[in-house]
Amino acid sequence: DARVTQTPRHKVTEMGQEVTMRCQPILGHNTVFWYRQTMMQGLELLAYFRNRAPLDDSGMPKDRFSAEMPDATLATLKIQPSEPRDSAVYFCASGWAPDMDSNQPQHFGDGTRLSIL
Amino acid sequence: AQKITQTQPGMFVQEKEAVTLDCTYDTSDPSYGLFWYKQPSSGEMIFLIYQGSYDQQNATEGRYSLNFQKARKSANLVISASQLGDSAMYFCAMREGRGFQKLVFGTGTRLLVSP
């Protein structure tokens, strides 16, 4: 089965360090999403792309977070500088949306468990 | 206002029994989709089933079915013949509006299946 691949699976680093998370969407999918999951806030959408174009990053703290899709096989989420409150599980998901109203499911990667000390 | 409400923080069911996980939603848009995901203790998010707002019939996928009551704005997940491996968190999510693909998730229901 095709899967969304996320790296790294786990990351522990000290506050102030740059963190880069990577995602390889399922081949042929044209939408990519970044979510953050915490106990307090649940699952929150940070950013999403369609055909590599960023469509919505309103859920992302702009001063320290950035999301990009340098090509169709790679999406990145960067945090610089990282803070302890960024500790969470970060999920990437991809889907195929032939049009903006289609109800296609999003398929999730296994997530990156991030701990900022 | 919450877009997706899951009122059951936890549910217990015995193996082989059926269980219903509740989900209500709030939208004024006629075009939307409702999705259920399973998150086992290992952490991954697994897509289970979805229902479109214009679909006439309730969605089914193996042991999963979606009890879609549009007038009541509910989309409950029914799991038949529960198995021990069904123990997990279950999230209901909605996509709404024209031109949008993002999902809004509920807070989840933790299901525990006992032998």
Side-chain angles (χ1 to χ4, degrees):
Chain A
D1 283 342
R3 294 174 60 87
V4 174
T5 303
Q6 286 186 249
T7 56
R9 289 295 312 277
H10 303 274
K11 176 76 174 179
V12 181
T13 192
E14 292 186 343
M15 64 178 292
Q17 297 297 307
E18 178 178 298
V19 174
T20 299
M21 290 169 274
R22 292 178 173 82
C23 168
Q24 181 176 12
I26 292 173
L27 188 65
H29 281 186
N30 65 344
T31 55
V32 173
F33 304 81
W34 284 104
Y35 292 91
R36 176 170 62 184
Q37 186 178 35
T38 61
M39 288 294 292
M40 293 299 294
Q41 301 295 328
L43 273 156
E44 307 172 275
L45 179 72
L46 297 176
Y48 86 97
F49 297 78
R50 184 169 186 266
N51 296 329
R52 293 179 56 203
L55 290 192
D56 187 349
D57 62 1
S58 58
M60 204 162 64
K62 301 289 190 306
D63 55 339
R64 299 183 299 107
F65 284 60
S66 61
E68 295 179 347
M69 267 201 86
D71 62 60
T73 64
L74 177 65
T76 61
L77 180 66
K78 290 186 181 180
I79 310 174
Q80 170 63 22
S82 57
E83 297 181 2
R85 60 181 167 149
D86 301 329
S87 297
V89 180
Y90 290 81
F91 285 103
C92 175
S94 72
W96 164 244
D99 58 69
M100 290 302 289
D101 296 331
S102 61
N103 285 317
Q104 299 298 320
Q106 297 172 20
H107 297 273
F108 283 68
D110 289 340
T112 293
R113 188 172 295 274
L114 178 64
S115 295
I116 309 296
L117 306 176
Chain B
Q2 292 287 339
K3 292 280 189 180
I4 293 285
T5 302
Q6 295 181 254
T7 56
Q8 307 154 316
M11 288 284 285
F12 293 89
V13 67
Q14 276 205 309
E15 210 176 358
K16 300 188 179 69
E17 300 286 312
V19 63
T20 297
L21 306 183
D22 294 343
C23 172
T24 57
Y25 57 93
D26 180 24
T27 182
S28 56
D29 201 295
S31 173
Y32 55 90
L34 297 153
F35 301 79
W36 278 92
Y37 285 83
K38 172 184 178 182
Q39 187 175 39
S41 57
S42 49
E44 69 269 32
M45 292 284 288
I46 303 166
F47 165 70
L48 295 177
I49 194 169
Y50 104 91
Q51 180 90 38
S53 58
Y54 297 118
D55 294 343
Q56 295 295 316
Q57 294 198 332
N58 285 347
T60 61
E61 196 70 51
R63 294 186 299 110
Y64 305 108
S65 60
L66 208 153
N67 184 2
F68 182 45
Q69 298 188 45
K70 199 168 181 177
R72 298 179 65 180
K73 293 188 176 179
S74 74
N76 299 338
L77 177 70
V78 180
I79 305 175
S80 63
S82 298
Q83 302 172 355
L84 295 178
D86 294 334
S87 294
M89 281 289 285
Y90 288 81
F91 291 94
C92 180
M94 178 174 67
R95 183 208 71 80
E96 65 170 339
R98 296 202 171 275
F100 295 98
Q101 282 293 314
K102 61 184 182 182
L103 295 179
V104 174
F105 285 82
T107 52
T109 295
R110 183 171 296 281
L111 176 67
L112 185 60
V113 181
S114 59

